[in-house]
Amino acid sequence: MHRDHPQSAERTAAAAPVGGAEAPFLDLLARGAPADAYEQPLLLARAEGRPPEQLAALETARRRALRVRTELEGRRRREAELSALFETAHDLAGPRDLDAVLRAIVQRARSLLGTDVAYLSLHDPERGDTYMRVTEGSVAARFQQLRLGMGEGLGGLVAQTARPYVTDDYFHDDRFRHTTAIDTGVHDEGLVAILGVPLTLGPQVIGVLFAADRRARVFEREQIALLGSFAALAAAAIDTAHLLTETRSALAGLERANEIIRDRSAVIERASEVHDRLAELVLRGGGVHDVAAAVSEVLQGTVRFAEADATPAAPLETSRAQGHAVRHRDEWIAAVAAGDELLGALVLRGHPALDPVDQRTLERAAMVTSLLLLARRSAAEAEQRVRGELLDDLLDARDRDARLLRERAARLRADLDATHVVLAARLDGTGGDADEEAAARRRLWSAASHLAATRQGLAAARDGGTVLLLPLPDGDTATGVARRAARRLGTAVREAVTVGASAPVRDLAAHPDTVAAAYAESRRCLETLRLLGRTGDGAAAEDFGFLGLLLAGDRDIAGFVGRTIGPVVTYDDRRGTDLLATLDAYFAAAMSPARTKDALHVHVNTVSQRLERVGRLLGEDWQSPARVLEIQLALRLHRLAVPGA
């Protein structure tokens, strides 16, 4: 990325027309300018004595441009990480010489995390320690010749415990035993922050893979998990290289067993073919089910991917702990894991007896599956964040450019010109501690994000719950959308989820303030449901009768009157009758037909016939206390809205 000269930024700002505050910053974004170049248009405008409103507009545009630049850099970094993982699988599928495999491992580890140094140490079973086998980026000879005893230094601790360890400042970390030889080597290399993950085959640690920086650095949890998955794949490649080396030695020394050796070579070749095929699947963007189909064909059985909670717990945990496929009744189970996180399992049926190579084939497939799941999760999380950011902008009305809003929504397959409903969703399960509550909210947000993505809508976490913007299908109602959302979200998180809905909203790109008002209405409906004890349900303002007038953001009086006494109004208009006047007199006479006939100067039978007609129009329960209150309110509102009524 090139650096723009400050004078170039000044010329860009000078060329920008009045009111086009974004233009110089868009040009800087297009050219990939450094962050400090974004100060120049504002400095130039101040030097020229521009009005305060133009300076404020430039400052706002600068902040937005820097946010876009940060987001673009983050996406490029995530794309680079995924690309490095895919290239790793390809590299490991190619080399067959052990030294070439180890060099590829260390080079890719350094590229994956972008560190100054990467190195790999292997276990020496004769001496009971680990020694430096391959280094990348190292400049100190004494460091390259280090040997680490069990529990000595960070690497010795990783090898001893078979767990990842990270230190932000090696020389001030007292969790492991410092020795003069190791500390001297690390000092010569100038290392400060070090991350080490074990290379394991089953319960055995065969080495440690390191990534280190010569400056203080915090390794994120995602980086540790990714490097852990990489180390697991690398351990399998080392194991394959050892198998090939052992096979070649056996071919040279066991000429009398040619037939056995040929059979084993064929099996190993088949394993190599599977390895290459799985790597090809990763590179061309194949999915988990593609991996299962490929392994099913090779092993001549049925392989399926199963979620962790749908797999027998004991054999799954054994497989995860040992790093091997485990037989359970007539099935083989290989855990799909990323570090300590269980993502699921590959389950093989129809092949009760597996030779070691076929077993390793299933295990490698499980490792590749974990890589694909991590990549898919990263992509899904990125899309969820983008959907949430767009909805946040609509709720906060920060981005009022209708064209930009439509373009952002279109990239997410959402149509802001369609009719939508804003939903406010919240969990109503029994309260636990803070960690449990936070985990429950994350589950709700994840389920809401999935629902929004499948419905071409948007979702974001907000105010201790989740807000969704979902399109309203033709012929559907806000109430129907809310109730279905409550059921789907409750099923997904396995807890009661209450959902309040707004009235339908339109033209969101042109009127983004509508979203905030609709969200406030949906929250009022949500709180009303909870106060009424209707947790786990969904509703809109129209479901609460006259209470809906208080809940609705636009006070839909005409809608309330129409829902409550609309059939009577229509009947009077069409037949020329005056049932509304009869209702007014009936309620004024304390619902007494005798007093009503005196007020109307008609026979009591006439009053009874009119009231029967009202019952047929409004329903048999129209004289229940709740309905009477709503009908009297609707009559009064109708008189106020229609002069002379």
Side-chain angles (χ1 to χ4, degrees):
M1 180 181 296
H2 67 277
R3 296 179 62 89
D4 285 85
H5 195 276
Q7 293 180 354
S8 175
E10 293 174 4
R11 289 194 298 271
T12 301
V18 176
E22 295 87 353
F25 300 104
L26 290 175
D27 184 56
L28 292 172
L29 284 171
R31 288 182 287 153
D36 55 4
Y38 289 74
E39 297 288 345
Q40 296 303 319
L42 189 59
L43 294 176
L44 179 60
R46 288 173 178 161
E48 292 175 352
R50 297 282 185 88
E53 59 271 15
Q54 291 189 17
L55 294 178
L58 282 170
E59 175 62 22
T60 299
R62 183 187 69 85
R63 289 196 298 268
R64 289 176 178 172
L66 286 175
R67 286 199 300 270
V68 172
R69 181 179 181 274
T70 300
E71 177 66 19
L72 291 174
E73 288 182 348
R75 292 185 182 183
R76 293 189 191 103
R77 183 171 62 253
R78 289 191 291 272
E79 290 171 359
E81 290 175 352
L82 291 175
S83 176
L85 284 173
F86 292 146
E87 291 173 3
T88 295
H90 183 269
D91 288 347
L92 294 178
R96 290 294 180 256
D97 176 68
L98 180 58
D99 289 333
V101 171
L102 296 182
R103 281 194 299 272
I105 292 170
V106 175
Q107 290 170 0
R108 196 59 61 199
R110 185 185 180 197
S111 172
L112 183 66
L113 268 70
T115 54
D116 297 325
V117 181
Y119 49 102
L120 184 145
S121 64
L122 293 181
H123 177 62
D124 187 342
E126 295 182 359
R127 298 181 54 171
D129 62 3
T130 60
Y131 65 98
M132 208 73 75
R133 179 64 181 266
V134 179
T135 62
E136 181 72 13
S138 172
V139 296
R142 183 155 34 186
F143 177 78
Q144 298 168 12
Q145 298 170 4
L146 281 178
R147 300 187 72 95
L148 289 74
M150 297 300 288
E152 294 180 354
L154 180 68
L157 183 61
V158 172
Q160 184 180 41
T161 62
R163 295 176 57 189
Y165 276 89
V166 61
T167 177
D168 301 332
D169 191 345
Y170 177 87
F171 290 101
H172 293 87
D173 197 331
D174 57 0
R175 291 178 299 167
F176 44 83
R177 183 155 53 94
H178 290 263
T179 67
T180 301
I182 297 175
D183 287 358
T184 301
V186 174
H187 182 271
D188 289 351
E189 193 62 51
L191 300 181
V192 176
I194 305 175
L195 166 63
V197 295
L199 274 65
T200 59
L201 289 176
Q204 180 184 5
V205 178
I206 64 172
V208 180
L209 179 61
F210 299 88
D213 261 344
R214 296 188 175 95
R215 63 189 184 282
R217 169 177 177 172
V218 176
F219 290 95
E220 302 293 339
R221 184 182 301 273
E222 292 80 7
Q223 294 174 321
I224 298 173
L226 285 172
L227 191 61
S229 298
F230 178 85
L233 191 60
I238 292 175
D239 184 41
T240 300
H242 281 308
L243 285 175
L244 290 171
T245 301
E246 293 170 1
T247 302
R248 292 191 184 103
S249 299
L251 286 173
L254 300 174
E255 294 182 358
R256 290 177 298 175
N258 282 335
E259 183 176 353
I260 298 175
I261 292 175
R262 272 197 302 272
D263 292 342
R264 183 163 182 79
S265 295
V267 172
I268 292 175
E269 207 48 48
R270 181 159 59 93
S272 174
E273 179 183 353
V274 171
H275 195 92
D276 293 341
R277 185 170 179 180
L278 294 178
E280 181 185 358
L281 278 174
V282 172
L283 292 173
R284 66 179 175 83
V288 172
H289 297 294
D290 295 324
V291 173
V295 179
S296 296
E297 181 181 344
V298 171
L299 298 183
Q300 297 179 352
T302 301
V303 178
R304 62 180 177 86
F305 174 76
E307 300 290 343
D309 56 2
T311 307
L316 179 61
E317 178 58 29
T318 301
S319 175
R320 186 199 65 80
Q322 296 181 355
H324 287 302
V326 175
R327 184 172 179 178
H328 176 67
R329 298 176 183 172
D330 60 344
E331 298 178 335
W332 284 85
I333 296 175
V336 176
D340 293 333
E341 182 182 4
L342 267 175
L343 305 176
L346 287 185
V347 181
L348 169 65
R349 300 194 68 179
H351 207 313
L354 280 182
D355 60 40
V357 175
D358 283 344
Q359 184 176 339
R360 289 191 179 96
T361 296
L362 183 61
E363 293 160 3
R364 290 191 190 97
M367 294 175 189
V368 172
T369 301
S370 69
L371 176 64
L372 292 175
L373 290 174
L374 286 175
R376 186 174 66 182
R377 176 192 292 177
S378 298
E381 289 176 350
E383 181 175 345
Q384 288 176 356
R385 284 193 295 271
V386 173
R387 287 182 181 274
E389 289 166 0
L390 176 56
L391 183 51
D392 282 335
D393 285 348
L394 288 170
L395 288 168
D396 298 333
R398 289 194 296 261
D399 190 347
R400 295 180 178 273
D401 189 319
R403 181 182 59 82
L404 291 178
L405 286 173
R406 288 190 181 94
E407 290 178 357
R408 291 173 62 188
R411 286 194 290 269
L412 298 170
R413 301 178 300 281
D415 181 9
L416 295 184
D417 293 325
T419 301
H420 287 76
V421 174
V422 178
L423 304 178
R426 187 173 296 176
L427 286 168
D428 287 291
T430 56
D433 59 28
D435 291 340
E436 291 178 354
E437 184 177 351
R441 289 179 179 178
R442 286 194 297 271
R443 290 197 304 272
L444 175 60
W445 178 77
S446 178
S449 298
H450 177 72
L451 175 60
T454 57
R455 291 284 309 278
Q456 287 77 52
L458 305 174
R462 206 171 184 88
D463 300 323
T466 301
V467 55
L468 297 95
L469 181 68
L470 298 181
L472 181 65
D474 293 338
D476 204 350
T477 63
T479 301
V481 174
R483 288 176 177 170
R484 287 194 298 275
R487 287 195 298 270
R488 290 190 58 178
L489 295 177
T491 301
V493 302
R494 299 181 181 178
E495 291 187 37
V497 177
T498 307
V499 177
S502 72
V505 291
R506 302 169 182 82
D507 300 326
L508 303 183
H511 306 287
D513 291 343
T514 305
V515 180
Y519 174 54
E521 178 181 334
S522 66
R523 286 192 66 193
R524 290 194 293 270
C525 289
L526 170 63
E527 294 303 326
T528 301
L529 283 171
R530 300 179 72 186
L531 289 173
L532 295 175
R534 291 172 57 184
T535 57
D537 197 1
E542 63 186 20
D543 299 313
F544 296 103
F546 73 91
L547 288 177
L549 293 175
L550 306 176
L551 301 175
D554 57 359
R555 302 294 190 267
D556 184 14
I557 294 176
F560 170 72
V561 172
R563 291 191 299 271
T564 307
I565 61 172
V568 177
V569 174
T570 302
Y571 186 88
D572 278 352
D573 290 341
R574 290 179 178 177
R575 303 293 182 91
T577 57
D578 202 1
L579 295 180
L580 291 176
T582 301
L583 280 174
D584 276 329
Y586 181 61
F587 289 128
M591 300 175 66
S592 168
R595 288 201 292 270
T596 302
K597 60 97 175 173
D598 293 335
L600 296 176
H601 305 291
V602 296
H603 195 275
V604 69
N605 290 340
T606 302
V607 173
S608 299
Q609 291 171 1
R610 292 179 182 180
L611 295 179
E612 288 177 5
R613 174 63 63 184
V614 170
R616 286 195 292 272
L617 292 172
L618 299 184
E620 294 181 357
D621 64 337
W622 73 278
Q623 297 193 69
S624 65
R627 292 289 305 279
V628 165
L629 178 61
E630 292 185 0
I631 292 170
Q632 290 186 78
L633 178 59
L635 287 169
R636 180 165 298 184
L637 291 173
H638 179 67
R639 286 198 302 272
L640 293 173
V642 183

